[in-house]
Every structure is written in C-alpha cells, then in structure tokens.
C-alpha cells in the first residue's frame, strides 16, 4: 500500500567521514499513516546488486543523523525520545568501507513495522536503480 514511500527517489548517496567513504545512505518514509516509536520497527533490509546487506551493517536515524541506532538497539529505544513520524524521513545507513562504487546499482530497501491497531506487521519494499 505504501511501497512508494519505502525508498525515497534520489536519496541514495555515499557517506564520507574524516575523508574516508564509510558507506552509503538511503531515505525512507514510514509505511503507515501515523508515527511509531522506533521500538516498533521490526526489521529493515537492504539488498545491493542482488546481495543482502548484513543486519549488523545497518544503522538508522530519525533526527537527521544526530543519533544513530543499530536494528537491535532500536528494539529498546525510548518511545518518547525517538519516534518515527509520518512524513518525516528515516535515514538508513549501510556501513561499507569505500561506499558504493561509481556506476549503476540495483538497491532494494525493505521496511517492516508493527502498528498499534493492525495485528500483523506491515512490510513495504522498493527497488531502485541508483547512479553513483
């Protein structure tokens, strides 16, 4: 239903820190019609050119990069301090030395969340061709 929200077009870019490429980032909007605490994010998955990115390499931020959380840390994040609001992007960072190589890549982003009123998790997935 909200699959077009999952991977924000034009949001994929390499990330540099201290002069070194440490990975890449993509943006996503929530696949629900209202906000949720980060602890209600079941899973986020990334596939890069057909290969699944290890869960341990994924970090997420809902406050423009001030605080970064692993997927495991998000399970226990305080609900009042860090909430993913509808219409506000979450940044998904993939830690990968050297980032994405120059050229075209197929990236698939999958977001799976729990909600207060729906008994099954909502999952959305979007594949995009990105140019670095």
């Amino acid at each position: 239903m909200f699959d077009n929200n999952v991977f924000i077009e034009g949001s994929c870019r390499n990330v540099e820190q201290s002069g070194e490429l440490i990975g890449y980032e993509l943006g996503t909007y929530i696949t629900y019609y209202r906000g949720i605490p980060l602890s209600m994010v079941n899973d986020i998955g990334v596939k890069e050119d057909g290969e699944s990115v290890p869960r341990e390499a994924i970090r997420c931020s809902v406050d423009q990069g001030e605080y970064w959380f692993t997927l495991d840390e998000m399970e226990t994040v305080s609900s009042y301090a860090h909430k993913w609001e509808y219409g506000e992007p979450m940044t998904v960072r993939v830690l990968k030395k050297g980032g994405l190589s120059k050229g075209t890549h197929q990236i698939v982003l999958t977001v799976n969340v729990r909600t207060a009123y729906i008994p099954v998790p909502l999952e959305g997935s979007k594949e995009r061709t990105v140019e670095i």
Side-chain angles (χ1 to χ4, degrees):
M1 180 168 149
F2 290 101
D3 284 356
N4 283 329
N5 287 357
V6 174
F7 187 169
I8 300 170
E9 189 169 6
S11 66
C12 188
R13 65 179 187 85
N14 278 332
V15 178
E16 186 177 318
Q17 201 171 60
S18 302
E20 184 178 332
L21 288 176
I22 62 163
Y24 60 95
E25 293 178 347
L26 2 141
T28 181
Y29 290 114
I30 196 164
T31 56
Y32 189 49
Y33 73 98
R34 56 191 299 186
I36 61 170
L38 285 183
S39 60
M40 293 179 75
V41 175
N42 276 351
D43 199 19
I44 293 179
V46 179
K47 281 189 181 178
E48 173 190 325
D49 296 325
E51 297 290 322
S52 293
V53 170
R55 179 180 170 86
E56 301 76 34
I58 297 174
R59 303 290 185 274
C60 298
S61 177
V62 290
D63 55 12
Q64 293 77 45
E66 186 175 346
Y67 296 98
W68 290 96
F69 300 101
T70 67
L71 296 176
D72 289 340
E73 288 170 337
M74 284 172 45
E75 294 174 5
T76 61
V77 169
S78 169
S79 63
Y80 66 88
H82 301 283
K83 190 174 178 187
W84 189 12
E85 296 290 354
Y86 179 80
E88 296 295 322
M90 173 188 282
T91 303
V92 177
R93 180 178 283 177
V94 174
L95 300 178
K96 178 182 178 183
K97 188 174 182 173
L100 289 172
S101 61
K102 291 201 182 296
T104 302
H105 299 275
Q106 288 301 119
I107 305 293
V108 180
L109 178 61
T110 303
V111 177
N112 183 297
V113 299
R114 294 184 316 279
T115 61
Y117 306 111
I118 301 173
V120 296
L122 298 176
E123 183 172 284
S125 189
K126 183 70 176 179
E127 180 173 0
R128 293 200 185 277
T129 302
V130 300
E131 181 76 30
I132 299 296

